[in-house]
Short mmCIF file of all heavy atoms in Angstrom, two decimals:
data_model
loop_
_atom_site.label_atom_id
_atom_site.label_comp_id
_atom_site.label_asym_id
_atom_site.label_seq_id
_atom_site.Cartn_x
_atom_site.Cartn_y
_atom_site.Cartn_z
N TYR I 12 -17.55 -1.04 3.19
CA TYR I 12 -18.37 -1.48 2.07
C TYR I 12 -17.44 -1.95 0.96
O TYR I 12 -16.25 -1.62 0.94
CB TYR I 12 -19.28 -0.35 1.57
CG TYR I 12 -18.54 0.82 0.98
CD1 TYR I 12 -18.32 0.92 -0.39
CD2 TYR I 12 -18.07 1.86 1.79
CE1 TYR I 12 -17.63 1.99 -0.93
CE2 TYR I 12 -17.39 2.93 1.25
CZ TYR I 12 -17.18 3.01 -0.10
OH TYR I 12 -16.50 4.06 -0.63
N TYR I 20 -13.63 -0.54 1.15
CA TYR I 20 -13.38 0.81 1.66
C TYR I 20 -14.03 0.96 3.02
O TYR I 20 -15.06 0.35 3.29
CB TYR I 20 -14.00 1.86 0.73
CG TYR I 20 -13.28 2.08 -0.55
CD1 TYR I 20 -13.54 1.30 -1.67
CD2 TYR I 20 -12.32 3.09 -0.67
CE1 TYR I 20 -12.87 1.50 -2.86
CE2 TYR I 20 -11.66 3.30 -1.87
CZ TYR I 20 -11.94 2.50 -2.96
OH TYR I 20 -11.27 2.72 -4.14
N SER I 21 -13.45 1.81 3.86
CA SER I 21 -14.09 2.14 5.12
C SER I 21 -14.94 3.38 4.90
O SER I 21 -14.74 4.12 3.94
CB SER I 21 -13.06 2.42 6.22
OG SER I 21 -12.53 3.72 6.06
N LYS I 23 -14.62 5.77 6.58
CA LYS I 23 -13.73 6.84 7.05
C LYS I 23 -12.70 7.20 5.97
O LYS I 23 -11.59 7.59 6.26
CB LYS I 23 -13.02 6.42 8.34
CG LYS I 23 -13.99 6.20 9.47
CD LYS I 23 -13.27 5.80 10.74
CE LYS I 23 -14.29 5.60 11.84
NZ LYS I 23 -13.66 5.18 13.09
N ASN I 24 -13.09 7.02 4.70
CA ASN I 24 -12.28 7.43 3.55
C ASN I 24 -10.96 6.68 3.41
O ASN I 24 -9.95 7.25 3.03
CB ASN I 24 -12.00 8.94 3.59
CG ASN I 24 -13.27 9.73 3.56
OD1 ASN I 24 -14.22 9.36 2.89
ND2 ASN I 24 -13.32 10.81 4.32
N ARG I 25 -10.97 5.37 3.73
CA ARG I 25 -9.76 4.57 3.58
C ARG I 25 -10.03 3.38 2.67
O ARG I 25 -11.04 2.71 2.81
CB ARG I 25 -9.28 4.05 4.94
CG ARG I 25 -8.83 5.15 5.85
CD ARG I 25 -8.19 4.69 7.15
NE ARG I 25 -8.76 3.52 7.76
CZ ARG I 25 -8.05 2.41 8.04
NH1 ARG I 25 -6.77 2.34 7.74
NH2 ARG I 25 -8.63 1.38 8.63
N VAL I 38 -8.65 4.32 -7.84
CA VAL I 38 -9.04 4.52 -6.45
C VAL I 38 -10.13 5.60 -6.42
O VAL I 38 -10.01 6.63 -7.08
CB VAL I 38 -7.83 4.94 -5.59
CG1 VAL I 38 -8.25 5.29 -4.18
CG2 VAL I 38 -6.80 3.81 -5.57
N GLU I 39 -11.19 5.35 -5.66
CA GLU I 39 -12.34 6.26 -5.60
C GLU I 39 -11.93 7.65 -5.14
O GLU I 39 -11.13 7.82 -4.22
CB GLU I 39 -13.39 5.74 -4.62
CG GLU I 39 -14.11 4.51 -5.09
CD GLU I 39 -15.21 4.08 -4.14
OE1 GLU I 39 -15.46 4.75 -3.11
OE2 GLU I 39 -15.83 3.05 -4.42
N ASP I 40 -12.53 8.67 -5.80
CA ASP I 40 -12.35 10.06 -5.35
C ASP I 40 -12.88 10.17 -3.93
O ASP I 40 -13.87 9.54 -3.58
CB ASP I 40 -13.11 11.02 -6.25
CG ASP I 40 -12.45 11.19 -7.61
OD1 ASP I 40 -11.23 11.00 -7.71
OD2 ASP I 40 -13.17 11.52 -8.58
N GLY I 41 -12.21 10.96 -3.11
CA GLY I 41 -12.60 11.13 -1.72
C GLY I 41 -11.83 10.23 -0.77
O GLY I 41 -11.85 10.44 0.43
N THR I 42 -11.13 9.23 -1.32
CA THR I 42 -10.31 8.35 -0.49
C THR I 42 -9.10 9.13 0.00
O THR I 42 -8.43 9.80 -0.79
CB THR I 42 -9.85 7.13 -1.30
OG1 THR I 42 -11.00 6.45 -1.80
CG2 THR I 42 -9.00 6.19 -0.47
N LYS I 43 -8.81 9.06 1.27
CA LYS I 43 -7.66 9.78 1.85
C LYS I 43 -6.45 8.89 2.03
O LYS I 43 -5.32 9.34 1.94
CB LYS I 43 -8.04 10.40 3.21
CG LYS I 43 -9.13 11.42 3.14
CD LYS I 43 -8.63 12.68 2.51
CE LYS I 43 -9.71 13.75 2.51
NZ LYS I 43 -9.38 14.85 1.64
N VAL I 44 -6.69 7.59 2.32
CA VAL I 44 -5.60 6.68 2.68
C VAL I 44 -5.75 5.34 1.97
O VAL I 44 -6.85 4.80 1.91
CB VAL I 44 -5.60 6.44 4.21
CG1 VAL I 44 -4.58 5.38 4.61
CG2 VAL I 44 -5.34 7.73 4.96
N SER I 66 -6.32 8.36 -6.84
CA SER I 66 -7.03 9.63 -6.83
C SER I 66 -6.21 10.72 -6.14
O SER I 66 -5.48 10.45 -5.18
CB SER I 66 -8.36 9.44 -6.10
OG SER I 66 -8.97 10.67 -5.83
N ASP I 67 -6.36 11.96 -6.61
CA ASP I 67 -5.64 13.08 -6.00
C ASP I 67 -6.10 13.40 -4.59
O ASP I 67 -5.47 14.18 -3.89
CB ASP I 67 -5.75 14.33 -6.89
CG ASP I 67 -4.81 14.28 -8.07
OD1 ASP I 67 -3.80 13.54 -8.02
OD2 ASP I 67 -5.06 15.00 -9.07
N SER I 68 -7.18 12.78 -4.12
CA SER I 68 -7.62 12.98 -2.74
C SER I 68 -6.76 12.18 -1.76
O SER I 68 -6.75 12.46 -0.56
CB SER I 68 -9.09 12.58 -2.59
OG SER I 68 -9.29 11.22 -2.91
N VAL I 69 -6.00 11.19 -2.25
CA VAL I 69 -5.17 10.34 -1.38
C VAL I 69 -3.94 11.11 -0.91
O VAL I 69 -3.21 11.69 -1.70
CB VAL I 69 -4.75 9.04 -2.11
CG1 VAL I 69 -3.76 8.23 -1.28
CG2 VAL I 69 -5.97 8.21 -2.46
#
Side-chain angles (χ1 to χ4, degrees):
Y12 65 95
Y20 286 87
S21 78
K23 296 181 180 179
N24 301 322
R25 294 187 323 122
V38 174
E39 290 184 2
D40 287 334
T42 303
K43 298 288 183 194
V44 173
S66 168
D67 282 338
S68 61
V69 173

